[in-house]
Amino acid sequence: MGHNGTAGHQVAILTLPEVIALEVAVPVEVFGPWPEYFTEEDPRVRNPYRLTLCGPQPRIRSGDWLTTTGTEPLDALAHADTIVVPGVADPLSPVAPEVLAALVAAAGRGARLVSLCSGAFTLAQAGLLDHRRVTTHWLFADLLRHRFPLVDVQERHLYIDDGAVLSSAGVLAATDLCLYLIAQDVGQTAANALARLLVSPPHRDGGQEQFARRPVVVAAGPLSGLRHWLLAHLDGEHTLTSIARQAKVSVRTLTRRFHQETGTTVMDWLTAQRVARARVLLEDTDLPVPVVAGQVGFGSAETLRAHFVSQTGTSPQRHRRTFRSTPTAPVRR
């Protein structure tokens, strides 16, 4: 059966031990029974899905306080048109061979696979993400990249549609991806109605990586001192030649050694550090954007904006509004 929202589209949510409860709840709300008022709002809207929770065990624990009971056997995956794979508490925990085999078989017959947050690790263990564009929670991105080097991890996205495999970032991004699937399968009217039910926008602008504020770690190596110096002098007008002069090596040697130590080029690394520092200044200070641009070495607000959008998927002004805006107080009667 295709994925075009025809009647009887079977959705299976894979519940593994220590599954993240909220990542089960979100697809249950989206693909499970819909309220009657949906059809009152638009008679054309019909729920085409049949939902099943399945797993290797009939009872699955999620943390210390929630147990999922009555799940269907793993065989249910053999009949699913869409398989949703939520994350688990330990993304590197080994997945049972029979689960991996069932996922591989489902992919082989054309089932659509949807990973939520760290659920990407389960699909990666099955070898189903090799050479695919995938996102996951920014906290796990480097771990996924290191553990499964054939996976093209792009953590700045809220969700990614790579054809037969779709993936989302953190828990709330799972809502974005599920609403996207509804829009693709049933139409935007149904997606909008579900978004209102969940009190969520039908679509959020911006990337995921913009919310990941990580400490800068300078790996050990012959050029670690140079990188520390660059971090302390981001506002300087650096060129490849001037940086090589600071390192007391030739440009050719600098380029080769820098890539060996960091996996990227000198100027790309410098640009990424400037954007990271700009994010901190936008979040923690009231400095005007042109001043922020000068302090991180971009020189102008226009140059900062171009690199900021390229690196984060959003503008400096929008990023600042996201983190500096004051929540509206509830109305009190």
Side-chain angles (χ1 to χ4, degrees):
M1 181 180 294
H3 313 309
N4 58 359
T6 55
H9 185 109
Q10 182 68 50
V11 177
I13 302 175
L14 179 62
T15 53
L16 298 176
E18 297 299 322
V19 68
I20 304 299
L22 191 53
E23 293 177 24
V24 175
V26 167
V28 165
E29 284 293 320
V30 172
F31 300 111
W34 293 353
E36 291 184 2
Y37 83 81
F38 276 24
T39 55
E40 296 173 359
E41 183 175 300
D42 190 329
R44 297 170 298 174
V45 174
R46 292 288 187 273
N47 186 341
Y49 303 107
R50 292 183 291 113
L51 182 66
T52 301
L53 271 66
C54 65
Q57 303 169 13
R59 294 168 58 89
I60 297 294
R61 289 185 60 81
S62 175
D64 296 328
W65 55 276
L66 183 65
T67 301
T68 301
T69 61
T71 58
E72 297 293 324
L74 198 60
D75 293 347
L77 293 184
H79 309 291
D81 302 294
T82 295
I83 298 172
V84 180
V85 184
V88 297
D90 178 5
L92 287 181
S93 57
V95 179
E98 61 269 24
V99 174
L100 299 179
L103 289 170
V104 170
R109 62 175 175 78
R112 180 172 61 183
L113 304 177
V114 179
S115 72
L116 306 181
C117 194
S118 63
F121 285 80
T122 299
L123 295 182
Q125 285 192 47
L128 297 172
L129 300 186
D130 291 357
H131 309 294
R132 286 190 176 275
R133 297 170 58 248
V134 176
T135 191
T136 187
H137 194 292
W138 60 264
L139 187 63
F140 302 126
D142 285 341
L143 185 61
L144 181 63
R145 189 177 288 113
H146 175 75
R147 178 65 178 81
F148 302 100
L150 295 181
V151 179
D152 182 6
V153 183
Q154 300 187 11
E155 67 268 33
R156 79 181 181 94
H157 297 283
L158 292 173
Y159 58 86
I160 289 177
D161 180 350
D162 195 53
V165 178
L166 299 92
S167 55
S168 76
V171 172
L172 295 183
T175 305
D176 295 292
L177 177 53
C178 288
L179 290 175
Y180 169 81
L181 288 170
I182 293 296
Q184 298 297 306
D185 290 349
V186 189
Q188 194 60 52
T189 298
N192 292 345
L194 275 164
R196 286 191 290 273
L197 177 67
L198 298 173
V199 195
S200 171
H203 173 74
R204 284 190 292 165
D205 292 327
Q208 166 67 12
E209 194 177 30
Q210 62 183 297
F211 304 123
R213 185 162 163 180
R214 309 174 187 174
V216 176
V217 178
V218 177
L223 296 177
S224 60
L226 173 68
R227 281 176 279 138
H228 278 293
W229 182 85
L230 286 170
L231 288 171
H233 298 85
L234 288 177
D235 59 342
E237 296 184 8
H238 303 299
T239 65
L240 199 56
T241 300
S242 68
I243 295 172
R245 188 182 305 118
Q246 174 67 28
K248 297 181 173 58
V249 296
S250 67
V251 169
R252 185 173 181 177
T253 298
L254 170 68
T255 302
R256 175 174 52 81
R257 290 181 181 175
F258 204 95
H259 192 276
Q260 287 174 344
E261 290 185 20
T262 67
T264 188
T265 68
V266 179
M267 302 313 291
D268 283 350
W269 181 90
L270 182 60
T271 297
Q273 304 314 315
R274 284 171 162 167
V275 169
R277 178 59 181 161
R279 282 163 41 173
V280 173
L281 293 175
L282 291 166
E283 294 171 22
D284 293 351
T285 76
D286 294 316
L287 293 173
V289 172
V291 175
V292 171
Q295 289 200 7
V296 301
F298 280 132
S300 70
E302 291 75 17
T303 303
L304 168 60
R305 188 183 189 285
H307 287 295
F308 204 93
V309 170
S310 176
Q311 295 266 331
T312 71
T314 192
S315 68
Q317 294 85 350
R318 188 178 299 166
H319 184 85
R320 170 166 275 170
R321 285 197 299 270
T322 299
F323 286 91
R324 302 280 291 176
S325 59
T326 303
T328 303
V331 176
R332 301 185 184 276
R333 298 185 182 276

